[in-house]
Every structure is written in structure tokens, then in C-alpha cells.
């Protein structure tokens, strides 16, 4: 398949109008009709990832942005005044006049996205969860916590079963924390999932070429990155070597059991704006031909529940035949940035198979991942209206 044809039909191999009709039917089966949208807040709304979430929520069918929060220096300002907007297009109208709040867990919303810097995310997310807010986090702080799901819906949706135990262990009521993985881990694990299911995984060797937007703003100094490659990203290799074990592992009803895959990573920063390219060699447990590997990737399809989510792609992995693809400049926006694009599937003389993959670090690896996680949580009934909760408390007190 060429990537151009894949992008014309990024949600599956059928006409888009047919896909829309089918998704409406799926939505009515798996998700209760929405009388009103869930009210969302964003912690860290002025940063790059926070801005992406703001943009993704501007016309979201399930979520309405009602609160934005950031550091004290932004608190009290209109969002349009507080943010240095880096994305294409204007600031969405629904966000422009929102007043930026601080990080006190008193926001007028049903749940929060966290795009906070790791220096403050850990405590702030716990405070919000303790106050009854579901926290959908992009930050690293709680990813490897014992009872916190590290979630890619297409990979390990069953890990949400850990939430009731998290609430019990941590003393949360309606609140909880769910995280998405590191931006370079996200694309890798999405591609490894069908191979793990079909053939089993023994060893994975990955070299990343990571975009500068992954460093946030202001990010890497121009004189350091222009015409250069930096072969070090603090903490990145450690995250890539540990997070896939949890993502590809199991929730056994009481704890997460790691996948036990041998995995090593080399992470590099390159002068590319958006899109993490990864060169991967994979050792399989079962013998498989290249055709079988390509077929497993090309036919990977989410189930009906996930296909009904607004951000989901029915086929989230796009396999391209061109020998010089994927490329960040040309391919990063495949599937509205939610697809992993795979090319150059070939034999590996050291392991079994090697390939090149590309994913959008700020969409698939961050903001879009968080929004899709929130959609799955909403579809499965994990969100409660805080208006309804407060009314219930008032009614019980009055009695």
C-alpha cells in the first residue's frame, strides 16, 4: 500500500462514508448516548502537549474544555494572554477566554488531562485523584506505579481493571490516575503488539531518531541541534527499556506481570520538527516469513469497542511498500497523527526481522494518546459527573 492511499482512508480499508456509518452503529452499541459532554480540564495547558490537547478538544464530540491550569506565573490570565501558541492556526475559540487557574484540585470539570512537567506532576496528579478527579496523564511520574495503568488502548485495554485496586490502595474515591507511555515507546509498542500476539517476542533492539519537539519548548538550543545529531536524551533509553515490559505484560487481577522481553534502546535527538523514526530489529519466538510478518502488521485491527472511539483508527498500523519510507516530513500525519507507519520490513542477520517505523511524538505519543485514553475511560463508565456528585452530597446532607 502507498501511504497516500492509506491517508485517504486512515481509519480502515473501506470508503470513509461507510466507515462513518459503521462507527455510528458501533457507538450506539458500546457507548451510552451522551446527554451532555464530559467537562475536561487540562493541567499544564500552556505547554506544547497541553496546546495539542486544547486543539484536539476544540471540536471533540464527547469532551468539552471547561478549565485550563498552569503555573503560578500564568494564573489569573486569559488563556490567549498566558500561552505562547506554537501550533498551526489560531487558538481555538473555546479556549481563548478561559481563565488560567492554579493547580489546586478545585476545577469545575469532570476529569483532567495532565500535561505537567515531571517536576510538579507527581504530587499534583495525586492531589487531583485524591479530590475525586480522574487524571489522564502524559507525565512520566506514575507510569511504573504498581496499580496505575500504563495504557495504549489497542495494546492493553484490559489493564484498566487495575483502577478499583488503585483506588482502594491509595484511598481515592472517584479519582484515579491513568497514564500514557513515553512518546518513543508509544509507536514501538503499537507495532510490537501484533507481532507479540502472532509470533511471540524474545529480543528487541531499537535505535531512535527523535524530533526536537519531543524536548518541549524552548527545547534544544539551535547551535546544538542544527546540522547535528545528539546521541543522548536524558532518561529516554531507560523508559524505552522498561515501559514496554508493562505495556505488553498482563494484569493478573492483583498486579502487573512484565512481558519479559529482552530490549535495548539507543536514543538520539535529530534536527526534525515532529515525528520519531525508529529502526528496530526483532527476535521472534516462532519462525515467521517476511510475508507473514507484513501480514500481521497490515491486518492488525482493533475490536469493535475501540473502533467506536472518536480518535481510534480501525487499522492503526500502516505498512508502506516504498523502499525509502516512512519519512517524518511526508508521513508523520498519517491517520491524523494517530497511526504508526511501518516500512522496510526485511530479514535481520542477527535477529529475525528488522523494520523502520514512524509515529507522531506529540499526537500518538502524547496529546492524542491521552485523548484516546480518556475516550476509552468514558466509554467504559469510569467518568462521573462532578455536578451530579456534589448534588448527591448536598441532598444527603439536607436529609
Amino acid at each position: 500500500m502507498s501511504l497516500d492511499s492509506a491517508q485517504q482512508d486512515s481509519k480502515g480499508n473501506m470508503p470513509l462514508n461507510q466507515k462513518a456509518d459503521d462507527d455510528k452503529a458501533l457507538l450506539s452499541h458500546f457507548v451510552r448516548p451522551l446527554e451532555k459532554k464530559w467537562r475536561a480540564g487540562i493541567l499544564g495547558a500552556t505547554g506544547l502537549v497541553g496546546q495539542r490537547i486544547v486543539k484536539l478538544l476544540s471540536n471533540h464530540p464527547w469532551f468539552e474544555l471547561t478549565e485550563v491550569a498552569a503555573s503560578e506565573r500564568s494564573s489569573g490570565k486569559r488563556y490567549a494572554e498566558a500561552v505562547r501558541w506554537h501550533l498551526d492556526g489560531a487558538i481555538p475559540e473555546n479556549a481563548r477566554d478561559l481563565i488560567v487557574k492554579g493547580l489546586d484540585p478545585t476545577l469545575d470539570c469532570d476529569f483532567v488531562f495532565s500535561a505537567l512537567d515531571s517536576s510538579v506532576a507527581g504530587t499534583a496528579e495525586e492531589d487531583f485523584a485524591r479530590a475525586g478527579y480522574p487524571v489522564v496523564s502524559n507525565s512520566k511520574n506514575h507510569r511504573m506505579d504498581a496499580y496505575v495503568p500504563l495504557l495504549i488502548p489497542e495494546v492493553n485495554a484490559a489493564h484498566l481493571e487495575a483502577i478499583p485496586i488503585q483506588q482502594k490502595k491509595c484511598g481515592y474515591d472517584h479519582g484515579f490516575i491513568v497514564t500514557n507511555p513515553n512518546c518513543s515507546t508509544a509507536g514501538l509498542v503499537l507495532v510490537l503488539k501484533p507481532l507479540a500476539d502472532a509470533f511471540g517476542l524474545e529480543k528487541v533492539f531499537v535505535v531512535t531518531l527523535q524530533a526536537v519537539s519531543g524536548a518541549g519548548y524552548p527545547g534544544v538550543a539551535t547551535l546544538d541541534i542544527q546540522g547535528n545529531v545528539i546521541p543522548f536524551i536524558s532518561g529516554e533509553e531507560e523508559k524505552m527499556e522498561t515501559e514496554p515490559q508493562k505495556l505488553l505484560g498482563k494484569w493478573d487481577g492483583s498486579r502487573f506481570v512484565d512481558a519479559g522481553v529482552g530490549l535495548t534502546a539507543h536514543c538520539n535527538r535529530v534536527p526534525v520538527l515532529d515525528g520519531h523514526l525508529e529502526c528496530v530489529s526483532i527476535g521472534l519466538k516462532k519462525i515467521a516469513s517476511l510475508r507473514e510478518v507484513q501480514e500481521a502488521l497490515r491486518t492488525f485491527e482493533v475490536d469493535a469497542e475501540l473502533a467506536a472511539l472518536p480518535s481510534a483508527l480501525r487499522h492503526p498500523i500502516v505498512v508502506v511498500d516504498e523502499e525509502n519510507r516512512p519519512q517524518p516530513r511526508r508521513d508523520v500525519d498519517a491517520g491524523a497523527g494517530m497511526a504508526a507507519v511501518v516500512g522496510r520490513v526485511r530479514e535481520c542477520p542477527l535477529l529475525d526481522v528488522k523494520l523502520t517505523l514512524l509515529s507522531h511524538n506529540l499526537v500518538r505519543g502524547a496529546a492524542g494518546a491521552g485523548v484516546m485514553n480518556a475516550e476509552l475511560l468514558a466509554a467504559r463508565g469510569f467518568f462521573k459527573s462532578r455536578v451530579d456528585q456534589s448534588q448527591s452530597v448536598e441532598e444527603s446532607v439536607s436529609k
Side-chain angles (χ1 to χ4, degrees), residues 212-228:
V212 292
S213 60
Y217 185 86
V220 185
T222 302
L223 291 179
D224 288 336
I225 194 61
Q226 188 169 358
N228 196 24

Side-chain angles (χ1 to χ4, degrees), residues 13 71 94-95 160 219 240 265 267-268 334 364:
N13 297 318
S71 63
N94 65 325
L160 293 182
M240 286 201 75
C267 296
N268 306 274
R364 178 80 254 188

Side-chain angles (χ1 to χ4, degrees), residues 286-360:
K286 297 179 182 178
I287 297 174
S289 68
L290 289 181
R291 184 188 61 80
E292 289 172 326
V293 169
Q294 290 174 318
E295 189 69 8
L297 294 168
R298 185 174 280 114
T299 61
F300 180 59
E301 184 175 4
V302 302
D303 63 24
E305 178 194 25
L306 294 183
L309 303 180
S311 298
L313 304 175
R314 185 165 298 170
H315 295 277
I317 300 172
V318 177
V319 180
V320 293
D321 299 322
E322 295 89 338
E323 63 182 8
N324 64 346
R325 306 283 278 272
Q327 299 176 20
R329 184 186 295 175
R330 292 175 170 84
D331 306 330
V332 73
D333 291 319
M338 289 296 285
V341 185
V342 175
R344 303 203 68 214
V345 181
R346 59 211 192 277
E347 291 184 3
C348 177
L350 290 180
L351 299 179
D352 295 310
V353 63
K354 54 185 177 180
L355 54 83
T356 303
L357 70 89
L358 172 73
S359 62
H360 198 307

Side-chain angles (χ1 to χ4, degrees), residues 141-212:
N141 303 66
H142 295 292
R143 287 176 184 159
M144 301 306 294
D145 286 7
Y147 304 105
V148 172
L150 177 61
L151 183 65
I152 299 176
E154 302 97 328
V155 173
N156 62 335
H159 286 197
L160 293 182
E161 295 172 8
I163 289 176
I165 294 183
Q166 177 194 147
Q167 291 172 320
K168 182 178 180 180
K169 295 284 186 179
C170 298
Y172 302 152
D173 186 7
H174 297 290
F176 55 84
I177 300 171
V178 169
T179 69
N180 57 262
N182 177 51
C183 52
S184 52
T185 301
L188 174 65
V189 172
L190 181 58
V191 170
L192 290 178
K193 171 62 174 175
L195 302 183
D197 289 348
F199 315 113
L201 301 177
E202 283 191 344
K203 298 178 180 179
V204 177
F205 178 95
V206 57
V207 176
T208 70
L209 307 172
Q210 297 184 216
V212 292

Side-chain angles (χ1 to χ4, degrees), residues 1 4-26 298 301-304 307-308 312-315 318:
M1 175 187 289
D4 293 336
S5 63
Q7 287 177 322
Q8 289 171 9
D9 182 13
S10 62
K11 299 278 269 185
N13 297 318
M14 63 174 65
L16 290 179
N17 58 349
Q18 179 64 48
K19 169 63 170 63
D21 290 342
D22 287 357
D23 282 354
K24 288 178 183 177
L26 290 169
R298 185 174 280 114
E301 184 175 4
V302 302
D303 63 24
L313 304 175
R314 185 165 298 170
H315 295 277
V318 177

